[in-house]
Amino acid sequence: MCKSDRESRSQSTDRKSGSDVDHEDPSTPLLGKPGYSSSGSSTPDRDDRGEQDGGYGWVIVAASFLCNMVLDGIAYSFGELLEPMQMDFGSSSATISLAGSILAGMILLTGPISASACNRFGPRVTCISGAVISAAAIFTSSFCGSFPALLVSYGFFAGFGLGLMYVPSVVCVSQYFTKRLSLATGICVCGSGAGTFAFAPLTAKLTSLYGWRGCNRIISALCLFCALLGFLMVPRAGHGAARESSSKFNFRIFRKTKFILVLLGNVPTVMATYATYTYLPVMAKDRGLPFDQASYLISAIGMTNTLGRILVGWITDLPQINPILITFTGLISAGVLPAIFVLCDTYVGYLLIAGLFGFCLSAVPTATSALIVELLGKENLNAAFGGLTFLRGVAALTGPPVSGYILDRTGSYNYSFYFSSGQLLAASVTILLAYILHKRSKRSPNTDYQCIE
């Protein structure tokens, strides 16, 4: 454990945020610093609410929604390309899934770079650059004649470009919202669910008509469309000067024990999520479901995930609702569902469990911003979100290959899905521990639960 934060607390009695993080570092260029109630909660003061909610911010929300729809739609629909690529390159499922894992991983691993680019150049330039890079990389991947070339173009470069789009499409929203931050963020990240719903059948249809190469050429055009959306991401007035003041992370937040627990909990969460998205349609087809029905399982996850994000965003903004508990509830509810997939033997059964899985998991990304604000304060949202995104990228990179390795060694999908359930349940435990430490630190300000030196 660590030194007490007693001295830092005595020096900052006039802070408005409810977190226990030292805030003398003004390095939150992208994000504003709206006031928080002096009561110690993360609820904004009423005087600040009206000034920072709505207006042009809803245009940002719409643009961010569409960007998330494209980038997550591409990442989550890779399972539809798995078998065509296996036949084309003659490789195992674990090997081919590495391409999708690298793409998904790079989207998230790029988080710190993308956050720094937002600080230095603004969200508009960052998003446009990412759209152009990803479009060029995915288009190039359609001409690859070897699997290593596919890894570089589709995995690394396309993932890097999509990652540059991801962070500005999430954190830019926080410039315009305080009172409705979770709702606005929930709508924004709903693009992920909508993309999952739309891109899985779209990818399956395009692949059946034009092959996976023709499919990627069409998808690249959708990436380029996101460059137009990037033009709409105009920084809120007054944030330009703040952005120029500093582009450094406040690395002290990564010594906070409770935030470390949140980081650790996100690793198995993302591993299990991406593995399930990748292998669910493949398992369903292997067990006799028609190709179209299997692809719609991912769409079912996307549909309920979209609805769940709106609902969770609205709930999280309610007074006395703790985003850490919202995250815990979603994880422990979703934890049993991958194992239940193994027991399904009808299309209706698969659809029902897929819908529940998408709905329960919606709590994790929707409550992330509010969770970080609750633990660390809004002025640390940019740095914390970038670091969390990076760690999620490591998990996304390893999740499907690990499950593919289990599949190749056992010859059964069962153990891969059992493993995913275990990961989600383990993640719920770490989030619960973070909540307990956070409550203790608020009740006993001088305890040593604050950080690891």
Side-chain angles (χ1 to χ4, degrees), residues 61 170 173-174 180-190 365-366 369:
V61 169
V170 175
V173 174
S174 66
R180 301 183 180 91
L181 175 61
S182 292
L183 177 60
T185 302
I187 296 173
C188 163
V189 297
C190 269
T366 306
S369 293

Side-chain angles (χ1 to χ4, degrees), residues 360-374:
C360 294
L361 277 183
S362 66
V364 178
T366 306
T368 295
S369 293
L371 183 150
I372 291 173
V373 171
E374 173 72 20

Side-chain angles (χ1 to χ4, degrees), residues 3 17 57 74 94 119 154 156 187-188 212 222 244 286 300 317 322 370 377-378 389 413 426 441 450:
K3 300 177 181 178
S17 170
I74 293 172
N119 291 341
Y154 185 85
F156 287 102
I187 296 173
C188 163
W212 72 266
L222 296 178
E244 294 174 359
D286 183 69
D317 281 331
N322 192 296
K378 191 169 185 179
T389 300
Y413 291 98
S441 68
Q450 309 308 318

Side-chain angles (χ1 to χ4, degrees), residues 54-376:
Y56 187 77
W58 293 113
V59 177
I60 302 293
V61 169
S64 298
F65 173 92
L66 292 174
C67 282
N68 277 292
M69 180 177 178
V70 172
L71 68 92
D72 277 336
I74 293 172
Y76 288 141
S77 62
F78 181 76
E80 305 299 333
L81 302 176
L82 194 60
E83 287 189 354
M85 287 183 175
Q86 275 186 264
M87 292 186 291
D88 196 344
F89 294 105
S91 301
S92 67
S93 59
T95 301
I96 295 297
S97 67
L98 186 60
S101 298
I102 289 177
L103 178 135
M106 285 299 297
I107 291 175
L108 302 174
L109 287 170
T110 309
I113 299 175
S114 184
S116 296
C118 286
N119 291 341
R120 185 173 181 82
F121 305 109
R124 176 190 283 180
V125 173
T126 305
C127 184
I128 293 173
S129 300
V132 173
I133 292 172
S134 60
I138 292 179
F139 184 79
T140 301
S141 72
S142 67
F143 297 97
C144 291
S146 65
F147 183 67
L150 182 73
L151 285 181
V152 174
S153 59
Y154 185 85
F156 287 102
F157 283 102
F160 176 75
L162 294 175
L164 290 179
M165 290 165 50
Y166 176 61
V167 172
S169 69
V170 175
V171 298
C172 187
V173 174
S174 66
Q175 294 183 10
Y176 288 85
F177 293 90
T178 296
K179 178 182 177 181
R180 301 183 180 91
L181 175 61
S182 292
L183 177 60
T185 302
I187 296 173
C188 163
V189 297
C190 269
S192 174
T196 304
F197 173 76
F199 272 66
L202 175 63
T203 302
K205 186 65 175 179
L206 291 176
T207 302
S208 66
L209 292 176
Y210 309 110
W212 72 266
R213 297 179 186 273
C215 174
N216 276 10
R217 290 164 193 165
I218 296 174
I219 294 298
S220 68
L222 296 178
C223 291
L224 195 59
F225 168 72
C226 291
L228 299 178
L229 300 175
F231 277 107
L232 300 176
M233 295 183 182
V234 181
R236 186 178 176 89
H239 286 257
R243 186 176 69 241
E244 294 174 359
S245 65
S246 175
S247 61
K248 299 179 180 179
F249 280 171
N250 178 12
F251 285 101
R252 298 180 67 181
I253 63 176
F254 298 101
R255 298 203 304 267
K256 298 294 176 180
T257 307
K258 54 194 178 184
F259 186 54
I260 292 174
L261 287 171
V262 171
L263 293 174
L264 293 177
N266 271 263
V267 173
T269 298
V270 176
M271 287 182 67
T273 300
Y274 276 89
T276 303
Y277 272 68
T278 299
Y279 290 103
L280 177 58
V282 182
M283 180 181 73
K285 284 183 283 187
D286 183 69
R287 295 189 172 185
L289 285 188
F291 181 82
D292 291 341
Q293 289 185 351
S295 66
Y296 276 114
L297 294 178
I298 302 300
S299 296
I301 294 177
M303 181 183 300
T304 57
N305 191 265
T306 299
L307 297 176
R309 292 185 186 210
I310 296 175
L311 179 61
V312 170
W314 177 76
I315 292 175
T316 306
D317 281 331
L318 295 175
Q320 308 306 319
I321 297 297
N322 192 296
I324 310 174
L325 284 182
I326 290 289
T327 303
F328 166 76
T329 303
L331 284 173
I332 199 169
S333 301
V336 299
L337 297 176
I340 297 179
F341 275 125
V342 174
L343 305 177
C344 294
D345 56 5
T346 65
Y347 181 49
V348 174
Y350 276 112
L351 277 179
L352 176 61
I353 303 304
L356 288 173
F357 185 71
F359 182 82
C360 294
L361 277 183
S362 66
V364 178
T366 306
T368 295
S369 293
L371 183 150
I372 291 173
V373 171
E374 173 72 20
L375 291 179
L376 305 175

